[in-house]
Amino acid sequence: MIQMKLSSLLMTILSAIFLVAGVILIVLVNFSMRQQALEEAQSKARIILDRNLATHTYFTHQLKPSVFELAGEPKSEVPFDPVWMSSTYAVREIDDYFQELSESGYYYKECAINARSPANEADAFEKKFIRELNKDPDLIEKTAIRTMNEHSYFQVLRKSETMEQTCLTCHSKPEMAPEGLVQKYGARRSFGREEGEVISAISIRIPLEQAYSQANAFSMQLSAMLLVLLGILYAILILIHKRLVHSPLAALQRQAQGITEDPGMLGTKVNPPAIREFSNLAEQFNTMSSRLKKSMDHLEDQVQVRTGELQRTNEQLEREVEQKTEAEAALIQERNRLQEVLDEVKTLRGLIPICAHCKKVRNDQGIWNQIESYMREHTEARFTHGLCPECEALLYPDQDED
């Protein structure tokens, strides 16, 4: 198992905490700035939209009525001129002048499917929105972040013109439209419309690249500042740790090491540090050292007492072993003596068939032998012959008379 110093472990943990907190802070700041860039883009899109809608209102309610009044002719006989008759044309031209004067990169278009002017033709994304408008009457606006040519844009699409009955003169059939309109735009574009149809949408794109770049640049600056701050805090923490943690622990370590290497130092005390936790630890260490000293002082007496008890026990065991050895030796001698007796004595057991007259004994094969032969075969006894007094008197009566 790999062991680390407490100081290294604490510094590693604190560094990891600071780094994680710094990364989280940087990510949150970057996200917040990007959100702020989107909010600013929405605000700019609203300003552009309101500004161009004001231009449409001006054309509809002031410019066109005043020009028709000055012309002094019926509206149907006034020659078509988009410069003052079409607010959409005017807005587009004004936007072209704005793009020449500004480098903002803003995009504004009143787009339509089969637009009268090719400049107002909707792209695929805008066409999809216009189709959705005709399917969903409640849909008014849609926002999205689009990446085009490796650049990010905030796009706003808003519902614009809905075909009215009065507009069908110029958008239903070419033969009903003013002659000048057909001559300028042709007889195919923006005809065949129906009343109630949503024919256009306002499309605005605000570039986000600069805002995102500023957010990233600020995040990098914040990262550098946090690294510097982390270095300063790391140095301060090292100093604080060395003074409040490392030094008291080092003192306790030296004391414990001294006792380990020199038992004579057992019982010495450590000065309690100022920190309460380390002070309690030092007091416990001093208490342990004193108790160990007392135990060591009485240990020799205890060893002597135990040694005497062990000696007495050993002597007693030796006497018991000696007595046991003597008893075993006596038993062995007695066993040997009995074995000798057994070796000398051989006892016949069981029934012995013997003749009642001649006293011969029958063996296991049915042969009758003299009792002396039988005894020699089955025992270790040997016979010597003699005469008992009765037999001697019977066989040699003359000797008794003499």
Side-chain angles (χ1 to χ4, degrees):
M1 180 177 178
I2 300 176
Q3 296 181 344
M4 296 179 62
K5 291 184 177 180
L6 177 61
S7 57
S8 301
L9 181 60
L10 287 176
M11 292 300 103
T12 302
I13 294 175
L14 290 175
S15 299
I17 292 174
F18 274 113
L19 287 175
V20 172
V23 171
I24 293 174
L25 178 62
I26 292 169
V27 171
L28 290 177
V29 170
N30 187 272
F31 176 78
S32 177
M33 293 187 69
R34 285 175 176 262
Q35 290 298 113
Q36 184 179 357
L38 291 178
E39 293 176 1
E40 291 179 357
Q42 286 179 326
S43 177
K44 292 176 182 178
R46 176 61 60 184
I47 293 173
I48 294 173
L49 177 63
D50 292 343
R51 180 70 177 80
N52 290 326
L53 290 177
T55 302
H56 282 287
T57 303
Y58 169 74
F59 261 75
T60 302
H61 296 287
Q62 297 188 35
L63 182 61
K64 290 170 65 174
S66 297
V67 173
F68 280 123
E69 185 179 351
L70 291 173
E73 297 180 7
K75 292 183 180 181
S76 59
E77 298 179 2
V78 176
F80 176 77
D81 187 358
V83 172
W84 62 272
M85 285 186 174
S86 174
S87 58
T88 302
Y89 175 87
V91 169
R92 187 175 66 249
E93 292 297 316
I94 292 172
D95 187 68
D96 290 340
Y97 285 119
F98 175 77
Q99 295 297 336
E100 293 178 2
L101 297 174
S102 174
E103 297 180 356
S104 61
Y106 297 156
Y107 168 93
Y108 179 88
K109 182 168 69 174
E110 296 182 7
C111 56
I113 300 174
N114 192 24
R116 180 143 287 164
S117 171
N120 288 342
E121 186 66 26
D123 62 17
F125 188 77
E126 296 164 342
K127 288 179 180 178
K128 181 180 178 182
F129 178 68
I130 294 173
R131 293 190 182 100
E132 291 175 354
L133 289 173
N134 285 288
K135 293 179 181 178
D136 185 2
D138 297 328
L139 181 62
I140 301 297
E141 186 176 282
K142 179 180 181 181
T143 61
I145 298 176
R146 296 182 64 190
T147 301
M148 304 174 64
N149 298 325
E150 299 182 355
H151 296 288
S152 298
Y153 296 89
F154 175 77
Q155 180 150 13
V156 179
L157 293 172
R158 186 177 178 83
K159 182 178 180 180
S160 183
E161 293 181 285
T162 302
M163 187 57 61
E164 299 178 358
Q165 182 64 39
T166 57
C167 300
L168 291 176
T169 302
C170 299
H171 293 278
S172 59
K173 297 180 180 180
E175 57 269 20
M176 296 178 61
E179 183 178 355
L181 185 147
V182 177
Q183 291 177 354
K184 183 173 180 60
Y185 295 109
R188 297 181 59 186
R189 303 190 68 86
S190 196
F191 287 106
R193 306 292 190 185
E194 298 177 358
E195 184 178 358
E197 177 187 358
V198 179
I199 60 173
S200 66
I202 298 174
S203 178
I204 303 173
R205 287 202 299 261
I206 307 296
L208 295 173
E209 200 69 29
Q210 183 178 3
Y212 282 176
S213 298
Q214 291 176 352
N216 293 335
F218 181 77
S219 298
M220 294 299 295
Q221 294 175 358
L222 182 62
S223 300
M225 294 172 60
L226 286 175
L227 286 176
V228 174
L229 181 62
L230 178 62
I232 295 173
L233 290 176
Y234 189 81
I236 293 174
L237 287 174
I238 289 178
L239 294 175
I240 295 175
H241 175 269
K242 184 175 181 181
R243 181 176 181 84
L244 299 181
V245 178
H246 182 267
S247 296
L249 288 179
L252 290 175
Q253 182 181 2
R254 288 194 298 270
Q255 185 71 12
Q257 185 176 0
I259 293 174
T260 302
E261 296 176 353
D262 184 9
M265 293 182 62
L266 192 63
T268 57
K269 294 184 178 181
V270 179
N271 294 326
I275 306 299
R276 178 180 299 177
E277 288 78 4
F278 290 119
S279 177
N280 293 337
L281 181 61
E283 290 178 358
Q284 294 296 328
F285 180 84
N286 292 336
T287 302
M288 179 185 66
S289 179
S290 300
R291 290 179 178 178
L292 287 176
K293 176 64 174 176
K294 292 179 180 179
S295 298
M296 290 294 293
D297 291 341
H298 294 84
L299 183 60
E300 185 175 354
D301 295 338
Q302 294 177 1
V303 170
Q304 291 178 354
V305 171
R306 294 293 177 86
T307 302
E309 293 177 354
L310 289 174
Q311 289 178 349
R312 288 191 294 273
T313 302
N314 289 334
E315 292 175 356
Q316 183 178 355
L317 290 174
E318 290 176 356
R319 286 194 297 271
E320 292 178 356
V321 169
E322 184 177 355
Q323 294 174 357
K324 184 176 180 180
T325 303
E326 293 176 354
E328 290 178 350
L331 288 174
I332 292 172
Q333 291 178 357
E334 183 64 20
R335 185 186 63 185
N336 293 335
R337 187 182 66 79
L338 291 175
Q339 186 64 39
E340 292 176 355
V341 172
L342 289 174
D343 292 340
E344 295 176 357
V345 176
K346 192 172 182 180
T347 306
L348 292 174
R349 295 182 182 180
L351 296 176
I352 299 173
I354 188 170
C355 179
H357 175 71
C358 68
K359 307 302 180 182
K360 290 182 179 180
V361 178
R362 188 183 66 197
N363 61 16
D364 295 336
Q365 288 77 27
I367 299 173
W368 293 89
N369 294 315
Q370 293 292 332
I371 189 171
E372 293 90 340
S373 298
Y374 184 85
M375 293 298 292
R376 283 197 300 270
E377 181 179 353
H378 290 86
T379 67
E380 294 180 357
R382 296 293 181 267
F383 290 89
T384 59
H385 292 84
L387 292 174
C388 64
E390 293 177 357
C391 291
E392 182 179 6
L394 179 63
L395 295 175
Y396 301 103
D398 296 337
Q399 290 182 3
D400 291 337
E401 291 178 358
D402 294 337

